Amino acid sequence: MQSNASSVSDYLNEVPEERLKAIIHIRELCQQHLPDFDESMQYGMPSYSRDGTVEIAFANQKNNISLYILRTDVLNPYRDRFPASAIGKGCIRYRNPDKIDFGLVEEMLVKTNASTGEVC
């Protein structure tokens, strides 16, 4: 679901209470590990861009929290850690916020910051 929020802070005000803690944690990890990226609202969700290209985004969806890791060289090595139903071309879908492996998210963000690979 796309949001019409004009800022990430406004977006957070729309997130249901049961997912808010997880979404805030993802944002904090992005801010910590993507210091040279621009935080903005792109495609109706919080996004992190470098040189005008979105590389990371996340969203509260109807049935899950979606995390977009758009560098193929970063996401592809982790594909086997997710059920096929939970991962797409550049999107990881977390149905239960309590089961998000934030250590793994952090690892992918660190690798995104260092990557110059292809963006899907």
Side-chain angles (χ1 to χ4, degrees):
M1 297 187 327
Q2 289 190 346
S3 170
N4 292 321
S6 59
S7 71
V8 177
S9 295
D10 289 343
Y11 181 86
L12 295 176
N13 291 329
E14 300 174 353
V15 175
E17 184 66 33
E18 64 272 11
R19 294 187 182 164
L20 185 58
K21 183 178 176 183
I23 292 279
I24 288 173
H25 195 173
I26 291 170
R27 181 188 190 198
E28 289 170 345
L29 289 173
C30 288
Q31 291 173 325
Q32 178 183 354
H33 295 290
L34 305 172
D36 297 326
F37 286 62
D38 296 317
E39 179 184 76
S40 65
M41 290 294 296
Q42 299 292 323
Y43 310 104
M45 65 185 130
S47 304
Y48 296 84
S49 304
R50 179 170 44 181
D51 300 323
T53 301
V54 174
E55 298 182 36
I56 298 288
F58 57 85
N60 175 60
Q61 303 290 354
K62 182 177 180 180
N63 295 313
N64 59 65
I65 293 174
S66 296
L67 175 63
Y68 297 86
I69 305 288
L70 300 173
R71 291 260 180 211
T72 56
D73 63 321
V74 173
L75 184 58
N76 286 343
Y78 294 94
R79 287 189 173 279
D80 63 344
R81 298 179 95 180
F82 300 96
S85 62
I87 192 163
K89 183 176 180 182
C91 176
I92 304 163
R93 294 173 291 276
Y94 297 99
R95 291 180 83 58
N96 183 343
D98 296 328
K99 295 192 176 188
I100 297 173
D101 181 343
F102 289 106
L104 182 59
V105 171
E106 187 171 15
E107 193 174 315
M108 289 186 289
L109 294 174
V110 168
K111 289 186 178 195
T112 296
N113 191 36
S115 175
T116 57
E118 181 180 337
V119 175
C120 61

